[in-house]
Amino acid sequence: MAGTSDIEKAADVLRAGGLVALPTETVYGLGANAEDPAAVSRTFQVKGRPPSHPLIVHIGGAELLDDWVQEVPARARLLAEHFWPGPLTLVLRRGGRVPLEATGGLETVAVRVPDHPVALALLSAFGGGVTAPSANRFGSVSPTTADDVRAELGDAVDFVLDGGPCEVGVESTIVDATGDIPTILRPGGVTREDLESVLGCPLAVPASSRIRVPGQHPSHYAPRAQVVLVEPEKVVAEAEQTQELGHRVGVFLPAAFCGAEVKAHAVVQVPGSMAAYARGLYGFLRELDQRGCDIIVASLPAEAGLGLAIANRLRRAAGPRAAA
């Protein structure tokens, strides 16, 4: 676990315009000084990310929100007070401190307060905001350990803060809070049910939005292997048939089929708990890549609670050819 000297060194790297990989409760982020256009632009270069894709600005507390946005509607304030620190990102009108390089040219900015002691200590030591998209190549599987970051980006990162494995494991929920009724633009670590309970109204999860946000690319969170989605009861048959065709098949075996014999190259038993599934999802995808699978057969969980975020990530991993 990163100590005080590591955190101070990371803060110095940020002040000098460098890039720091930092742990959050969701995934590891590739951090840059949010007010330094050159550092922010380097983030895009290292990731291979299109500059039109906005970044999330991470700040040290809800009380700092007004420093980064033009206005905070009452419902956005309520969500910030209730869920921060935590895996919730709010999209609001961009304030003057945020360069257009960080927003993909948009007049809106995505902001959140991470719930990780190392990330919060870094933000405090640095004294500013940090843009921190996931610390991986654009479109690939997000990192949930420091070793994942090193394997993915190597020397392209100036400093890596090791905060242990990420507790949530999928990215933050992104909510458009610019209108009268907030809208979920990306499901994530805060569930729709929890948001609705706090706001007292239903929230839509549109397939597309006028505001660009991270994770909307048709193929995202993707391993090297092709991901094939089928109904849960067809996972075993699909895997075995594909294996017989000469592929090296990896299987996400649903909890309901625990212990079933599957003739495949590699099998991952999906946890029955959605929290455990979310926490392990990206690690499972990386494991099957590392074991040499060229096709991964999986099914979507019920889209309630964290299952909505998991299903979203699996659909993006499968890309436009997703069957479910």
Side-chain angles (χ1 to χ4, degrees):
M1 182 73 71
T4 302
S5 61
D6 294 322
I7 290 166
E8 291 294 341
K9 181 176 180 179
D12 288 340
V13 170
L14 290 174
R15 294 187 191 101
L19 301 184
V20 173
L22 65 147
T24 76
E25 77 281 23
T26 58
V27 300
Y28 273 71
L30 182 61
N33 179 354
E35 297 178 79
D36 183 342
V40 171
S41 294
R42 187 177 161 213
T43 304
F44 287 96
Q45 295 166 6
V46 167
K47 283 179 61 67
R49 180 186 181 110
S52 60
H53 284 237
L55 307 178
I56 296 173
V57 176
H58 294 64
I59 60 176
E63 71 278 4
L64 302 174
L65 181 58
D66 293 276
D67 296 342
W68 296 91
V69 303
Q70 290 184 27
E71 59 180 339
V72 185
R75 282 184 164 133
R77 185 86 64 188
L78 178 63
L79 291 175
E81 291 173 350
H82 194 90
F83 292 106
W84 284 357
L88 174 69
T89 294
L90 296 176
V91 175
L92 295 161
R93 303 294 177 191
R94 179 179 71 94
R97 292 182 69 174
V98 184
L100 288 171
E101 284 84 355
T103 68
L106 300 177
E107 288 301 329
T108 54
V109 60
V111 185
R112 90 173 185 100
V113 180
D115 188 14
H116 194 291
V118 173
L120 291 172
L122 174 61
L123 288 165
S124 176
F126 175 58
V130 173
T131 54
S134 56
N136 57 278
R137 303 293 178 186
F138 179 69
S140 65
V141 179
S142 301
T144 54
T145 69
D147 285 342
D148 290 343
V149 176
R150 296 184 184 103
E152 181 89 6
L153 297 180
D155 294 339
V157 183
D158 299 309
F159 195 72
V160 178
L161 278 174
D162 192 340
C166 299
E167 286 296 316
V168 175
V170 293
E171 291 82 356
S172 60
T173 302
I174 299 179
V175 172
D176 176 9
T178 60
D180 293 334
I181 303 296
T183 301
I184 297 174
L185 303 183
R186 180 182 72 182
V190 173
T191 68
R192 174 172 55 183
E193 293 85 350
D194 285 344
L195 292 167
E196 291 175 342
S197 176
V198 169
L199 293 175
C201 64
L203 298 184
V205 188
S208 61
S209 71
R210 60 184 176 82
I211 297 176
R212 297 190 303 274
V213 295
Q216 286 183 324
H217 194 266
S219 180
H220 216 84
Y221 317 113
R224 292 189 300 274
Q226 177 189 346
V227 177
V228 175
L229 299 177
V230 298
E231 295 298 324
E233 64 274 12
K234 297 180 181 178
V235 166
V236 173
E238 178 72 21
E240 292 185 340
Q241 290 170 10
T242 306
Q243 182 79 16
E244 289 174 1
L245 293 174
H247 291 282
R248 295 164 68 88
V249 177
V251 185
F252 275 19
L253 190 64
F257 297 87
C258 180
E261 293 285 340
V262 186
K263 297 176 182 178
H265 181 68
V267 178
V268 167
Q269 180 65 63
V270 172
S273 158
M274 287 298 101
Y277 192 0
R279 188 163 51 247
L281 174 62
Y282 293 143
F284 299 153
L285 291 171
R286 286 179 181 275
E287 175 190 344
L288 293 182
D289 263 348
Q290 291 165 1
R291 295 178 68 177
C293 297
D294 63 324
I295 290 180
I296 297 172
V297 177
S299 62
L300 300 180
E303 297 188 30
L306 283 172
L308 179 62
I310 296 167
N312 170 270
R313 301 312 189 271
L314 286 172
R315 284 198 179 95
R316 296 291 182 179
R321 292 183 293 181

